[in-house]
Amino acid sequence: MDKPILVTKSSLPPIEEYIELIQDIWESAWLTNMGRYHIELEAKLKKYLGVEELILLTNGHLAIELCLQALELTGEVITTPFSFASTTHAIVRAGLTPVFCDINEDDYTIDVDKIEALITERTSAILPVHVYGNICNVEKIDELAKKYNLKVIYDAAHTFGERYKGVGVGSLGDASIFSFHATKVYNTIEGGALSCADKALRKRMEYLKNFGITDKERVDFVGSNAKMSEFQAAMGLCNLKYIDEYILKRRHIVEEYNKGLKDVKGIKLNTYRADISYNYAYMPIYISEEYTLGRDELYDLLASYNIFARKYFYPCINAYACYKDRFDENATPIAKKISQGILTLPIYPDLDLSVVDKICNIIRKGK
Ligand SMILES: *Cc1c(COP(=O)(O)O)cnc(C)c1O
């Protein structure tokens, strides 16, 4: 490739449309603190995502951190090590102890049959991840949460706009968090949100994102600063107009990849279920021993053609240097194995299908 093909590329609306909104910001001189665009975007996203309550935040990570605080959790939180750093970091930064559960080999989400053995008297919540847009076994998680009186917070950063059996993915569990980071399916430059059905939780999140200030002369919580600015909200309004088009284009790309790679020995593709409306956020492939190259060799081969895939997620969170001597990667063998064989391929709305075909040809040829 003449120009490097990166794993992702931020979706941008026509610049004139953004400038038009920005002009209004100049006129009002209202830059942040729940301005006009913030209010408008919150209402529109609530509808689009099919959720009862939605709180906009400046990123997805703070949505997790503040949600853990808002729910007044204590002790241990069960999560998976096959995720982005944010999920576990949020638990640790909230003063809680992460307990790692292994994942399924087929869809990379939490293995619900292994949760119960990890529940102790100190467990207060489960924080599972809908990996690559694959939705967790929510029925079983719900059953366990009821049985042991646990809160469930879904890291839904990968599932913007998805529906599960017809309902918005953000209406599952006690709360869900979304990321609108530049590299995600839908972006507000940096941004995120929390969705829930509980009005009291919503109120508390609103306080926590604004330093815990509850009234002009009153501060009731040790809050943070996690407000979305008007510039972010304006970008969100512009991108929202095109989101269905973005997702449709992604779908065509995934279909093209799947067509090109379906018969390659040792390459496992993501499976798609009829009860989930996917957003096609990622194009993961799992490379097994049956393939002609190892995962790292395939990564290097693609890079030699100026094509940059991503080892995502690798390493597992319980193998991070910052958690050395604290967690054991071998306690979650499936997550370890998947992280060593996974590769996500380039995908973004304006990625040319001819480039996808070239990538497939390189992979098909292998060594
Ligand atoms: C992107 C991401 C986050 C963090 O979101 P930010 O908006 O970047 O803070 C959390 N969890 C997962 C799984 C993510 O992919």
Side-chain angles (χ1 to χ4, degrees):
M1 308 304 298
D2 303 335
K3 273 210 243 155
I5 301 291
L6 304 183
V7 72
T8 189
K9 189 174 153 193
S10 297
S11 296
L12 289 164
I15 192 165
E16 311 77 48
E17 296 184 14
Y18 189 57
I19 290 171
E20 203 182 308
L21 298 199
I22 296 305
Q23 237 140 20
D24 278 351
I25 297 178
W26 248 260
E27 275 155 36
S28 68
W30 189 311
L31 311 186
T32 186
N33 285 36
M34 288 64 85
R36 171 182 155 199
Y37 292 141
H38 187 287
I39 293 164
E40 191 181 334
L41 182 64
E42 209 165 70
K44 285 196 166 144
L45 278 179
K46 192 168 104 166
K47 208 162 142 208
Y48 185 81
L49 295 172
V51 296
E52 281 191 41
E53 301 291 337
L54 190 85
I55 301 100
L56 289 183
L57 298 146
T58 196
N59 58 53
H61 177 77
L62 282 167
I64 314 179
E65 265 194 48
L66 296 184
C67 177
L68 297 171
Q69 185 184 357
L71 291 170
E72 299 187 299
L73 300 178
T74 57
E76 298 168 358
V77 176
I78 295 171
T79 188
T80 57
F82 192 69
S83 183
F84 186 54
S86 173
T87 321
T88 293
H89 281 0
I91 295 170
V92 173
R93 290 172 59 85
L96 303 163
T97 305
V99 172
F100 292 110
C101 185
D102 212 349
I103 60 168
N104 297 321
E105 203 152 353
D106 55 349
D107 71 356
Y108 320 119
T109 64
I110 193 165
D111 181 345
V112 291
D113 294 329
K114 292 182 182 154
I115 296 176
E116 202 156 12
L118 300 171
I119 297 172
T120 71
E121 279 175 4
R122 288 170 43 77
T123 311
S124 61
I126 311 173
L127 175 27
V129 187
H130 300 310
V131 183
Y132 309 134
N134 294 329
I135 293 172
C136 301
N137 182 340
V138 294
E139 289 85 4
K140 181 76 192 184
I141 292 168
D142 201 39
E143 193 185 305
L144 287 169
K146 282 206 176 81
K147 183 169 170 191
Y148 292 97
N149 192 26
L150 306 173
K151 296 285 185 199
V152 179
I153 303 134
Y154 285 108
D155 183 334
H158 289 189
T159 42
F160 181 86
E162 289 194 359
R163 294 277 189 285
Y164 174 63
K165 295 183 177 161
V167 304
V169 68
S171 58
L172 304 168
D174 293 285
S176 296
I177 76 96
F178 292 96
S179 167
F180 310 148
H181 182 255
T183 55
K184 303 276 154 92
V185 166
Y186 168 78
N187 88 78
T188 62
I189 310 171
E190 289 271 4
L194 180 135
S195 62
C196 62
D198 180 4
K199 286 203 160 48
L201 175 58
R202 183 211 161 84
K203 198 78 218 152
R204 193 168 279 211
M205 286 295 293
E206 276 175 353
Y207 294 141
L208 290 178
K209 79 176 188 184
N210 190 26
F211 305 99
I213 298 170
T214 47
D215 208 345
K216 272 206 177 78
E217 296 174 5
R218 192 177 168 97
V219 181
D220 279 318
F221 304 101
V222 185
S224 185
N225 179 5
K227 302 184 298 293
M228 179 182 277
S229 78
E230 287 295 275
F231 292 84
Q232 291 167 284
M235 181 64 107
L237 285 169
C238 292
N239 267 331
L240 193 58
K241 284 209 272 180
Y242 298 94
I243 187 65
D244 291 336
E245 187 186 319
Y246 294 159
I247 291 174
L248 186 65
K249 284 182 173 168
R250 285 176 174 275
R251 181 177 158 181
H252 291 149
I253 291 163
V254 167
E255 284 168 356
E256 191 74 6
Y257 270 123
N258 286 349
K259 211 167 61 188
L261 298 175
K262 69 176 186 306
D263 297 323
V264 184
K265 210 169 167 222
I267 299 285
K268 183 184 160 291
L269 302 169
N270 200 44
T271 45
Y272 294 89
R273 291 162 39 178
D275 53 7
I276 300 174
S277 69
Y278 291 92
N279 64 9
Y280 305 95
Y282 299 91
M283 179 60 215
I285 57 170
Y286 176 76
I287 296 110
S288 75
E289 282 105 58
E290 285 171 33
Y291 186 62
T292 57
L293 298 167
R295 188 272 309 268
D296 292 351
E297 290 169 312
L298 177 57
Y299 175 91
D300 292 340
L301 176 69
L302 289 168
S304 74
Y305 287 93
N306 227 359
I307 294 158
F308 297 92
R310 187 172 172 201
K311 300 171 193 177
Y312 185 74
F313 307 108
Y314 175 80
C316 277
I317 299 174
N318 49 6
Y320 283 5
C322 62
Y323 293 128
K324 197 173 177 298
D325 300 326
R326 227 173 128 181
F327 305 116
D328 180 11
E329 189 187 15
N330 296 313
T332 52
I334 305 296
K336 180 178 176 181
K337 178 180 152 190
I338 298 296
S339 78
Q340 290 172 344
I342 204 82
L343 205 58
T344 57
L345 301 176
I347 182 166
Y348 44 87
D350 60 3
L351 178 65
D352 231 62
L353 292 184
S354 66
V355 175
V356 173
D357 293 342
K358 273 184 197 139
I359 296 172
C360 290
N361 284 337
I362 296 165
I363 297 172
R364 263 208 304 271
K365 215 161 135 228
K367 189 158 71 181

